[in-house]
Amino acid sequence: MWMHLRLGGGLILLVLAGSCSPALGQSSLVPDRSDTGAILRPTDGKRVPPFRDGRTMLLKIGPNLTSSQELFIATEEMPPGTAIPLHRHERHEEALFLHRGQVTVTLGARRVVAEPGTLVYIPAATWTGVENTGRDTASVVGIFAEGAVEPCFQRLVRRSSPADSARLERHCAMTFKGTAR
């Protein structure tokens, strides 16, 4: 247990020994509730229909999936030769983490071959794309610091008509180069 004491304009932090911390294997003082976080195993999340080229996406963390309001995370499995098309998120920053495989990342005017463990920061309004240029399936984790993008991803993967796609791109502030999704 710890306490703050304010004395004469200074701050003293006291750490008091006690039995407030749970022992290994015991539950904490906070009851386990659904709003205290989530532990997601590799296959947990909301699976969306496969993309035309065989890529699969699993929505992991977001407002409708967990209690997160500030975070959206999805994983994508990319068979060899498949690609996340060149696109940009006009208002949202993104981070991509390559968990497995080898891909070529387009970031603005740069193209870089990435190996497992690579983390890519994508500023808002930056053209980006990912191609699996390796021999094995690549696993990519997409991370957004705004949970509000979750409904956009859920609607985007429904493969709506071209007119619906254009409305969705405007609503979600997302632009694709070309027609492939």
Side-chain angles (χ1 to χ4, degrees):
M1 181 163 101
W2 54 273
M3 299 176 57
H4 290 261
L5 294 178
R6 204 170 272 286
L7 298 172
L11 180 67
I12 298 175
L13 177 65
L14 292 177
V15 178
L16 305 173
S19 60
C20 291
S21 298
L24 190 59
Q26 293 180 347
S27 65
S28 66
L29 298 176
V30 178
D32 187 17
R33 301 182 321 228
S34 62
D35 64 349
T36 60
I39 297 172
L40 300 167
R41 302 205 187 282
T43 59
D44 291 344
K46 181 177 181 182
R47 191 161 301 281
V48 298
F51 290 90
R52 289 181 208 124
D53 66 358
R55 291 176 292 128
T56 59
M57 183 180 283
L58 189 59
L59 309 180
K60 303 291 272 184
I61 295 175
N64 294 316
L65 302 162
T66 62
S67 60
S68 174
Q69 299 304 305
E70 305 297 328
L71 190 61
F72 173 70
I73 299 177
T75 60
E76 191 160 335
E77 297 294 310
M78 302 176 63
T82 62
I84 298 171
L86 198 58
H87 69 285
R88 66 184 186 188
H89 300 273
E90 306 297 338
R91 297 187 306 251
H92 301 105
E93 297 177 314
E94 181 179 6
L96 289 177
F97 176 76
L98 179 59
H99 176 68
R100 180 180 67 240
Q102 176 185 303
V103 299
T104 299
V105 177
T106 300
L107 184 63
R110 291 177 284 177
R111 287 181 52 82
V112 176
V113 175
E115 65 274 351
T118 299
L119 185 62
V120 180
Y121 163 65
I122 306 163
T126 301
W127 288 105
T128 189
V130 179
E131 300 170 57
N132 183 346
T133 51
R135 290 186 294 235
D136 300 315
T137 296
S139 181
V140 179
V141 180
I143 305 163
F144 290 84
E146 187 170 336
V149 302
E150 178 190 350
C152 294
F153 275 82
Q154 290 192 9
R155 286 181 286 204
L156 179 69
V157 297
R158 290 189 188 139
R159 320 297 184 274
S160 49
S161 70
D164 289 338
S165 292
R167 277 194 297 278
L168 182 62
E169 285 180 25
R170 282 192 305 277
H171 174 75
C172 294
M174 186 175 188
T175 307
F176 285 89
K177 262 195 180 167
T179 57
R181 280 193 234 320

